[in-house]
Amino acid sequence: NRIGGISEKVQGEGTHFKLPWLQRPYLYNVRSTPRNIKSLTGSRDLQMVDINLRIIYRPNVDRLPDMYRTLGLDYDERVLPSIANEVLKGVVAQYNAIELIGKREQVSQQVRLRLQERAKDFFMVIDDVSLTHLAFSPQFTGAVEAKQVAQQEAEMAKWIVDKALEEKKSIIITAQGEAEAAKLIASAVQNNPGFVELREIQYAKDVATTIANSN
């Protein structure tokens, strides 16, 4: 209103009358709107993290007059990138790179709560926040992959050692069995001289059977 300034009364959707020249409407989209914000920030262990943050937001309808006075119609362009980067840097700095991967849901929830509180200062309502992308430097990614390969190789080496130990035990048991058998044979020969003749006869019989079957 050219006379009274910004009206404190917010008009909803529908048909309204305005006085030519004297009044002018300012239109806001009050539906929830998604926006993606990218941020490059550092973790607690000084790893650079490339984060893509998806925010669903809308203006606080009751505070639209104050919003227009302080921020104008392009409030989201003025506010969202700066407060999103501010919150992200504060939250991400509390975690190391591995924790950011393993505790992604916890990080996302913490970012959402802080961003909701921060957005209230600018007459905005944050409906939802999610971390849609996390990327680390090529050096860190390569180090993680090398660590995984080293762990796999260590597990393989452990399996080979365990297998060798089992084979060694099997050989020892077999050798002990053969030694015990030889000891029993030696004892039988010593106690019963006819045992050797019996074994020779058994051997000759086995050979004869083999030759007969081959013919």
Side-chain angles (χ1 to χ4, degrees):
N1 190 306
R2 290 180 180 271
I3 299 176
I6 300 296
S7 172
E8 294 298 327
K9 182 180 179 182
V10 177
Q11 300 289 351
E13 58 186 329
T15 301
H16 303 280
F17 295 96
K18 71 180 183 70
L19 298 176
W21 184 83
L22 188 63
Q23 293 178 322
R24 181 170 55 187
Y26 294 107
L27 305 180
Y28 278 88
N29 178 10
V30 296
R31 292 178 295 180
S32 294
T33 305
R35 182 187 177 100
N36 292 321
I37 296 177
K38 291 186 176 182
S39 176
L40 183 64
T41 184
S43 62
R44 190 176 63 193
D45 53 352
L46 304 181
Q47 294 294 333
M48 297 308 296
V49 189
D50 187 12
I51 300 178
N52 190 20
L53 188 68
R54 179 177 174 84
I55 304 173
I56 298 179
Y57 68 96
R58 54 187 168 85
N60 185 342
V61 176
D62 296 332
R63 303 298 300 276
L64 284 179
D66 296 322
M67 175 177 282
Y68 182 80
R69 290 190 187 96
T70 56
L71 300 171
L73 293 173
D74 58 343
Y75 67 96
D76 51 345
E77 293 290 342
R78 292 171 177 247
V79 174
L80 276 180
S82 60
I83 65 173
N85 277 284
E86 173 190 329
V87 170
L88 275 175
K89 291 182 185 300
V91 173
V92 171
Q94 300 176 20
Y95 299 87
N96 61 40
I98 299 299
E99 289 174 338
L100 288 174
I101 299 174
K103 300 179 179 179
R104 184 166 177 167
E105 186 62 31
Q106 178 180 331
V107 175
S108 179
Q109 183 178 4
Q110 193 171 351
V111 170
R112 177 171 57 84
L113 292 176
R114 289 197 179 189
L115 198 55
Q116 285 174 335
E117 287 299 318
R118 192 73 178 90
K120 289 179 181 179
D121 297 335
F122 301 96
F123 322 113
M124 296 171 60
V125 177
I126 303 296
D127 292 326
D128 188 48
V129 174
S130 60
L131 300 177
T132 59
H133 179 70
L134 280 176
F136 300 91
S137 65
Q139 293 81 3
F140 177 79
T141 303
V144 171
E145 292 176 352
K147 182 178 179 181
Q148 291 175 343
V149 171
Q151 289 176 341
Q152 292 173 354
E153 291 177 347
E155 290 293 328
M156 178 61 72
K158 183 177 181 297
W159 179 81
I160 292 174
V161 170
D162 292 341
K163 182 180 178 182
L165 290 174
E166 290 299 324
E167 290 176 350
K168 181 180 178 181
K169 290 179 182 178
S170 178
I171 293 172
I172 291 174
I173 293 172
T174 302
Q176 289 175 344
E178 292 176 351
E180 186 66 24
K183 187 184 297 184
L184 292 174
I185 292 173
S187 177
V189 170
Q190 184 178 2
N191 297 329
N192 185 6
F195 179 77
V196 176
E197 294 179 5
L198 181 63
R199 291 300 298 267
E200 289 178 350
I201 293 171
Q202 183 65 40
Y203 177 70
K205 185 178 179 181
D206 291 341
V207 171
T209 302
T210 302
I211 294 173
N213 292 333
S214 64
N215 293 331

